[in-house]
Amino acid sequence: MITGSQCRAGRALVEVTRGKLSVRSGVDEAVIEGFERKLQEPEPEAIAALQAALEALGAVFIDENGGGIGVRLKFTQSEGRRIARLESEGGIVASDRVP
């Protein structure tokens, strides 16, 4: 599950307001603000809905992997093809592309 900081950063990366995220996720705007400002911890279902909505908009959440948690944008199709070609993977980066 994502943290409030990841939610705030993901929202900034995909350039969506709290209001628009509220509409897309079904989570009240005040709950989103409290979560991002670390004032309250929403129900797990609300956090999952926020994460799903941000991922649908192009955010990729990075779990703790020794370097810390984070968020980044998905690769575009052309970036995915370029990376695959440069890395000589022999395939296309399918799960990491925005349509």
Side-chain angles (χ1 to χ4, degrees), residues 26-43:
V27 177
D28 188 77
E29 191 172 345
V31 172
I32 297 171
E33 182 178 2
F35 180 49
E36 290 181 349
R37 295 180 67 204
K38 300 179 184 178
L39 299 175
Q40 66 184 23
E41 184 73 16
E43 296 294 323

Side-chain angles (χ1 to χ4, degrees), residues 78-94:
S78 67
E79 289 170 330
R81 284 191 300 269
R82 223 174 344 186
I83 289 169
R85 188 172 49 249
L86 289 173
E87 292 180 345
S88 299
E89 292 180 347
I92 300 217
V93 182

Side-chain angles (χ1 to χ4, degrees), residues 38-91:
K38 300 179 184 178
L39 299 175
Q40 66 184 23
E41 184 73 16
E43 296 294 323
E45 297 82 19
I47 297 173
L50 291 171
Q51 182 172 350
L54 289 167
E55 286 173 341
L57 291 167
V60 175
F61 294 98
I62 303 165
D63 293 326
E64 174 64 54
N65 60 2
I69 61 171
V71 61
R72 68 170 179 82
L73 288 175
K74 289 182 182 178
F75 294 121
T76 63
Q77 287 185 356
S78 67
E79 289 170 330
R81 284 191 300 269
R82 223 174 344 186
I83 289 169
R85 188 172 49 249
L86 289 173
E87 292 180 345
S88 299
E89 292 180 347

Side-chain angles (χ1 to χ4, degrees), residues 7-16 54:
C7 182
R8 185 176 60 247
R11 200 170 49 76
L13 281 172
V14 299
E15 299 178 3
V16 67
L54 289 167

